[in-house]
Amino acid sequence: HVQLVESGGGSVQAGGSLRLSCAASGDGYSSSAMGWFRQAPGKERQGVASIYRGGSSTYYADSVTGRFAISLDSAKNTMYLQMNSLKPEDTAMYYCAADSVVLPGRELEASEYSYWGQGTQVTVS
């Protein structure tokens, strides 16, 4: 059983920055891939960024490339999402996710992830 807890959301003006954190815990935790997803009201959940343990491979949605950066502190079992140059269209509930197996090429597909956090709200005005 894996538990994921997000934090760091909030309200910010356009152009501002936020850093989200996702702390992972639980017995037998061995997720090889973790990711950030977001969902705005009335829209489907969208993959934002993902990372493999070891941090050698990262993946980003086109809409956030160059503005967001994903990282992983393996010693703390914590994943981060640094969000810069935020836009109103970034407003959404942000979720972290993890799984032990994610098919290559599907790192930003929500269906690939079994474990999810409860979400943290990001509002950009």
Side-chain angles (χ1 to χ4, degrees):
H1 181 66
V2 176
Q3 294 176 319
L4 303 173
V5 180
E6 302 98 333
S7 60
S11 297
V12 64
Q13 290 188 337
S17 298
L18 284 173
R19 189 176 81 153
L20 306 183
S21 299
C22 172
S25 62
D27 294 335
Y29 174 70
S30 60
S31 296
S32 64
M34 298 184 72
W36 288 99
F37 294 77
R38 66 186 182 187
Q39 188 167 19
K43 294 187 177 182
E44 293 186 356
R45 192 165 295 190
Q46 173 194 23
V48 175
S50 66
I51 188 168
Y52 281 102
R53 283 193 167 273
S56 60
S57 297
T58 58
Y59 305 86
Y60 295 94
D62 290 342
S63 58
V64 306
T65 297
R67 299 188 298 122
F68 291 9
I70 189 171
S71 60
L72 179 64
D73 185 333
S74 297
K76 296 181 178 179
N77 267 344
T78 300
M79 177 178 65
Y80 303 96
L81 185 68
Q82 179 66 43
M83 305 186 295
N84 299 324
S85 302
L86 282 162
K87 304 176 181 180
E89 50 263 45
D90 295 318
T91 295
M93 185 72 79
Y94 282 70
Y95 300 89
C96 70
D99 207 295
S100 57
V101 178
V102 174
L103 293 177
R106 295 184 58 82
E107 291 83 2
L108 296 179
E109 296 294 330
S111 59
E112 290 293 310
Y113 295 82
S114 300
Y115 303 104
W116 292 85
Q118 82 289 350
T120 185
Q121 178 68 37
V122 172
T123 303
V124 185
S125 60

